Amino acid sequence: MLTKGRTPNLKLLWLIKMRRTIILASILILTIFLLGCGPEQKISGYTTAKLEQQTIKNGEVTHLTVKGVNDGDKSVKVHFEFSTDKPEMVKLNFPSNMEFVLQPDEDTGNRILTVQAFTETIRTDYLIITKLVDDTGKVLHTTNTVLSVTR
């Protein structure tokens, strides 16, 4: 502290300035670090699947229209995976290339699969499962559709 008639202590003033500089530099570095570590971009998506006819006769063919949407914050490479509860009774035919690189809010467009199904009874309901999967193998969304087959 300065008192009347005394000269300031230069060493003390230098320490105060250095302390202030160190505090300001620390705040600046912390701010830059926090800005660089913003929220992680999420990868997510969803699918839609719609049968042209939900009920068909034994051996007939219908179409399944599917669409995948990237509703995340970052581009992602996705593909569809299809399965049924009875693969020997439900045949799915689809284009060989069902992989897409989607930007945020972009969709695959409608993709049409041919579905042929058979029954050994008067009526059978089959579950068709459509999955949208990213390139790491993570399932982003699953949609279930039921196809009824009658004699």
Side-chain angles (χ1 to χ4, degrees), residues 49-51 53-54 56 62-64 66 81-86 90-92 113-117 125-131 142-149:
K50 184 178 179 186
L51 284 165
Q53 298 173 299
Q54 292 187 323
I56 62 172
T62 188
H63 293 103
L64 176 67
V66 297
E81 289 182 3
F82 303 99
S83 61
T84 69
D85 55 347
K86 289 274 197 165
V90 180
K91 305 297 179 197
L92 299 171
L113 289 74
T114 303
V115 181
Q116 183 179 26
D125 293 335
Y126 296 112
L127 182 65
I128 301 172
I129 303 163
T130 304
K131 295 179 184 177
T142 301
T143 301
N144 296 328
T145 311
V146 176
L147 174 64
S148 297
V149 183

Side-chain angles (χ1 to χ4, degrees), residues 66-84:
V66 297
K67 179 166 58 172
V69 179
N70 176 3
D71 65 352
D73 301 327
K74 126 185 212 189
S75 68
V76 63
K77 184 176 182 181
V78 296
H79 66 276
F80 288 106
E81 289 182 3
F82 303 99
S83 61
T84 69

Side-chain angles (χ1 to χ4, degrees), residues 42-47 67-80 98-109 111 132-134 140:
K42 74 173 184 170
I43 296 175
S44 66
Y46 65 90
T47 59
K67 179 166 58 172
V69 179
N70 176 3
D71 65 352
D73 301 327
K74 126 185 212 189
S75 68
V76 63
K77 184 176 182 181
V78 296
H79 66 276
F80 288 106
M98 294 292 273
E99 290 187 348
F100 309 90
V101 176
L102 299 176
Q103 301 302 318
D105 298 321
E106 186 178 19
D107 65 59
T108 62
R111 302 296 165 188
L132 185 65
V133 182
D134 71 8
L140 301 177

